[in-house]
């Protein structure tokens, strides 16, 4: 049995993504002696970029919202103590943050530019849909109200829990129908839901607001890369006395008499603690518990949760001498007759860190059906056919985005990844990109995932509250509130 450095209260955290590292820093600030256990050789989970041909390719970090002084994510980054270390560039200064292209505009525009600012967004909607002024007024009133609640962090500081957000759980689609929005307008409003993995008709208004409003507050790119952000977080944790152990997966969560007692790793090492926070997918954490440690009903609830789909991504380089980087993101998509966006392709063309090349990133739905033949294989051992199938899909996607960003001369694909890659990398069930789906259908079953049926065992990570860097850190704060109690939380956590 390893005994951790003497601290009054020890905490063990499973997983070192943004969920695990934010959880670790928060608990360290509150006086816990924290050890993070990560199965991969390097920390960071989906936040970590990987290197191909000397170029950092980001996975789960393309742009961030609400980082202006005093804004929501900035307050969270300030609390974590990392803002000063991050080279950030503001987006949307001389143009849009996002440019949407509709390939089959049904009674709507071919293009819509998403600017910074709620007022500018409203003006853009009204200019694009001049006949729908009152529907837009109704939608904006709701957006402003819930964006304000989010910004004031009412879910953390007004004794609200996600279950109390029931008023905000009405599907956005029902609201848009009530307001009489056209399919064209719905198409524009559906994009933020897709970006967090929720089919637009199932997206509760609250989650739509979180995905949309945070980027309307302000939008930013990290000039460095995901690995840099991970290093900053790990350094901060180390400065606070915590540590990250990499390269050993947790094999078992040890429980005695209904209380958590520690963790056993794959190599047999044991670590003891009365507080354990699992930040891997909830199903993965529950699978680490012995079968008689939890009630079957709790196990069934967790394993029955529907997850978001996986994603397919392409990273490629193009010569910087003949292409210009795009200061905005491009979303190209089809909409159906009801206005639901399908086959969305996210495109980013930006500096690569190497003067001669720009980095092109495309992200789209996982195309799970294509990878079934390799389901039982693991990363690095899938063979040439898999590589060829990925390349064929990549080439098709590149052709699809060229009409919008121009012909990509001299392009070389440097990497592609599928849901199987994500599955093997971070243990996400079926390669789910955003974990548990925050759809209106499972608002109740997916609420309050922070607590578990075992005393001393909590959950954090993107599945407990909302995905994205913002949603995941908020999830860590809610879990902290359960761990230390509302009174102490509100006294000691100043955001
Ligand atoms: C393609 C893509 C693009 C995205 N773009 C953005 C964006 O631009 N902006 C934004 O805000 N968000 C974005 N996101 C979402 C964001 O990246 C995620 O919500 C966030 O990174 C999830 O963090 P996490 O800590 O919950 O999970 P993870 O990063 O998956 O961390 C879980 C960790 O647990 C570890 N683990 C699992 N099992 C074990 C075990 N048994 N023992 C030890 N360790 C274990 C895993 O290895 C992993 O490191 C994107 C996501 C994807 C997939």
């Amino acid at each position: 049995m390893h005994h951790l450095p003497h601290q009054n209260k020890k905490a063990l955290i499973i997983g070192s993504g943004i969920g695990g590292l934010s959880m670790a820093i928060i608990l360290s600030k509150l006086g816990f002696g924290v050890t993070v256990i990560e199965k991969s050789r390097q920390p960071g989970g989906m936040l970590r970029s990987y290197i191909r041909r000397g170029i950092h390719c980001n996975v789960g970090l393309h742009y961030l919202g609400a980082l202006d002084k005093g804004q929501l994510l900035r307050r969270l980054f300030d609390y974590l103590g990392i803002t000063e270390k991050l080279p950030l560039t503001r987006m949307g200064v001389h143009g849009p943050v996002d440019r949407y292209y509709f390939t089959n505009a049904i009674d709507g525009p071919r293009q819509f530019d998403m600017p910074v600012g709620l007022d500018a967004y409203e003006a853009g909607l009204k200019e694009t849909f001049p006949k729908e002024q009152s529907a837009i007024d109704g939608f904006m009133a709701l957006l402003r109200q819930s964006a304000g609640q989010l910004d004031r962090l009412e879910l953390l500081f007004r004794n609200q829990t996600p279950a109390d957000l029931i008023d905000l759980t009405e599907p956005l689609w029902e609201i848009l129908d009530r307001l009489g929005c056209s399919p064209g307008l719905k198409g524009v409003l559906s994009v933020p839901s897709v970006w967090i993995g929720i089919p637009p008709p199932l997206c509760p208004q609250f989650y739509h607001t979180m995905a949309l409003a945070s980027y309307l507050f302000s939008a930013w790119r990290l000039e460095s890369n995901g690995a840099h952000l991970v290093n900053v977080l790990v350094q901060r944790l180390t400065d606070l006395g915590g540590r990250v152990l990499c390269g050993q997966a947790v094999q078992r969560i040890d429980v005695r008499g209904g209380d958590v007692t520690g963790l056993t790793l794959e190599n047999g090492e044991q670590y003891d603690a009365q507080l354990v926070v699992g930040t891997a997918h909830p199903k993965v954490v529950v699978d680490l518990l012995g079968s008689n440690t939890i009630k079957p009903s709790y196990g069934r609830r967790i394993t029955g949760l529907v997850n978001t789909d996986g994603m397919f991504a392409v990273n490629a380089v193009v010569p910087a001498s003949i292409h210009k980087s795009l200061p905005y993101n491009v979303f190209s998509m089809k909409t159906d007759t009801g206005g639901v966006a399908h086959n969305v392709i996210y495109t980013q063309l930006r500096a690569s860190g190497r003067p001669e090349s720009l980095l092109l990133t495309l992200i789209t739905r996982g195309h799970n059906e294509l990878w079934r033949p390799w389901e039982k294989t693991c990363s690095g051992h899938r063979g040439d056919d898999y590589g060829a199938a990925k390349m064929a899909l990549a080439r098709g996607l590149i052709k699809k985005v060229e009409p919008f960003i121009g012909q990509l001369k001299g392009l070389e694909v440097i990497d592609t990844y599928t849901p199987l890659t994500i599955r093997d990398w971070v243990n996400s069930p079926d390669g789910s990109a955003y974990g548990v789906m925050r759809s209106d259908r499972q608002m109740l079953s997916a609420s309050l995932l922070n607590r578990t049926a075992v005393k001393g065992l909590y959950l954090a990570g993107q599945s407990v509250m909302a995905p994205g860097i913002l949603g995941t850190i908020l999830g860590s704060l809610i879990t902290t509130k359960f761990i230390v109690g509302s009174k102490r939380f509100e006294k000691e956590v100043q955001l």
Side-chain angles (χ1 to χ4, degrees), residues 413-425:
V413 174
I414 57 172
D415 193 65
T416 54
Y417 61 82
T418 74
L420 298 182
T421 324
I422 298 282
R423 178 197 70 181
D424 294 356
W425 190 9

Side-chain angles (χ1 to χ4, degrees), residues 13-22 36-48 58-65 73 195-196 214-215 220 245 247-252 263-266 278-281 284-285 288 309-313 329 346 348 361-364 417 422-428 431-435 460-464 466-473 476:
I13 293 177
I14 306 169
S16 69
I18 184 63
L21 293 176
S22 58
V36 179
I37 315 269
E38 168 57 50
K39 77 173 181 66
S40 299
R41 273 181 292 131
Q42 290 183 305
M46 285 197 278
L47 200 55
R48 188 170 199 94
N58 286 321
V59 181
L61 175 67
H62 298 276
Y63 67 139
L64 296 162
L73 187 59
W195 192 220
I196 51 171
S214 57
Y215 291 107
W220 304 78
L245 304 180
Q248 279 301 323
V250 173
Q251 192 179 50
R252 194 179 64 230
L263 297 174
T264 301
L265 310 195
E266 256 176 3
T279 72
H281 189 281
V284 172
V285 179
L288 294 171
D309 288 337
M311 303 232 200
F312 178 77
N329 305 301
Y346 167 86
Q348 190 182 62
T361 302
L362 306 180
I363 305 173
T364 192
Y417 61 82
I422 298 282
R423 178 197 70 181
D424 294 356
W425 190 9
V426 296
N427 257 356
S428 179
S432 166
Y434 296 119
Q462 64 177 352
S463 288
V464 302
I469 308 305
L470 173 64
T472 307
I473 300 175
S476 294

